[in-house]
Amino acid sequence: MELGTHRLLDLTHTAAAPLLAGTEYPWQALPGIGEFILELGAALSGDEYEEIEEQVWLHKTVKRFPGNFIAGPCIIGPETEVRPGAFIRGNALVGAGCVVGNSTELKNVIIFDSVQVPHYNYVGDSILGFKSHMGAGALTSNVKQDKSLVTVGLPGGERIETGLKKFGAILGDHVEIGCNSVLNPGTVIGRGSRVYPLSMVRGAVPENSIYKRAGEITGIR
């Protein structure tokens, strides 16, 4: 099963392309997000971006509603909406044309262009690919209960060691996550796949699939 960065993600749709391009697996970029944002932010054009407070850069076309909180380091790209109640805790690189919705929390994330996390979502230590969407109440769980290092489970029982204590999920491009689903630590959803509402997902889901429940994954026809 192919979980490589370039198989899951089109890097032309993120400012994080230089960070991700040299990785074998996308989760290898997670520890470097904060430092990358600081370097990128310092080089942004003042004609396009405004540093609204220390280490927080917003494109001048961002639509920011009242009643949210943004901590640095953070960059938010063109035409993105940050809605009431959003809580961005830092180390967040958000692309163009995104929606960060009411009561949504982001922390140590790369959000590709045209991603929607619009209602009551938690996304931590995760990467969401181009045009992916998380339904209302869908969450990433980013730490195992026993606090051990996260592994990515493959069909057949094999596991890939990540070396990370905190790792939520990777969504490939064009992934749809149903409402009130939980993506357990180390979940990787292949490009173009869908997850049924109320699902509890663990491990890797192949591209162009429908995840109905554990042990029941079908191809998209």
Side-chain angles (χ1 to χ4, degrees):
M1 183 176 176
E2 181 55 64
L3 300 180
T5 299
H6 296 276
R7 183 62 175 258
L8 289 164
L9 303 165
D10 180 350
L11 301 189
T12 65
H13 293 291
T14 178
L19 177 63
L20 287 161
T23 62
E24 180 181 5
Y25 300 115
W27 56 81
Q28 293 169 335
L30 293 174
I33 292 174
E35 182 178 348
F36 179 80
I37 291 172
L38 290 175
E39 294 176 359
L40 181 60
L44 291 173
S45 167
D47 293 334
E48 298 180 36
Y49 283 83
E50 180 181 0
E51 187 173 7
I52 62 167
E53 55 187 85
E54 187 176 9
Q55 300 179 354
V56 177
W57 294 272
L58 269 57
H59 194 275
K60 291 182 179 180
T61 61
V62 168
K63 186 174 183 179
R64 185 183 181 189
F65 291 80
N68 48 54
F69 178 82
I70 304 175
C74 175
I75 297 173
I76 300 180
E79 307 293 340
T80 285
E81 292 188 8
V82 182
R83 294 178 176 170
F87 180 27
I88 300 177
R89 289 171 50 194
N91 288 359
L93 179 56
V94 182
C98 298
V99 175
V100 181
N102 58 297
S103 300
T104 288
E105 181 177 349
L106 304 181
K107 172 255 183 186
N108 200 51
V109 293
I110 298 171
I111 307 293
F112 276 52
D113 298 340
S114 302
V115 169
Q116 295 192 348
V117 279
H119 313 287
Y120 308 104
N121 304 115
Y122 173 69
V123 185
D125 301 285
S126 298
I127 299 172
L128 308 188
F130 177 59
K131 284 194 174 180
S132 59
H133 171 258
M134 295 185 71
L139 309 172
T140 65
S141 175
N142 59 335
V143 180
K144 296 174 66 174
Q145 289 186 336
D146 64 3
K147 307 302 188 293
S148 62
L149 298 181
V150 176
T151 61
V152 177
L154 304 179
E158 295 181 65
R159 293 194 167 273
I160 300 175
E161 302 287 340
T162 70
L164 299 172
K165 183 177 178 181
K166 292 185 177 182
F167 167 23
I170 308 292
L171 305 188
D173 299 333
H174 301 280
V175 163
E176 290 281 342
I177 304 298
C179 295
N180 290 320
S181 293
V182 176
L183 308 181
N184 283 286
T187 294
V188 181
I189 310 294
R191 184 193 297 261
S193 289
R194 307 171 195 162
V195 171
Y196 268 18
L198 299 174
S199 294
M200 185 187 71
V201 188
R202 188 181 304 278
V205 176
E207 62 185 33
N208 298 315
S209 299
I210 300 175
Y211 182 99
K212 298 182 178 181
R213 58 184 64 85
E216 186 175 355
I217 302 174
T218 62
I220 296 175
R221 298 173 183 173

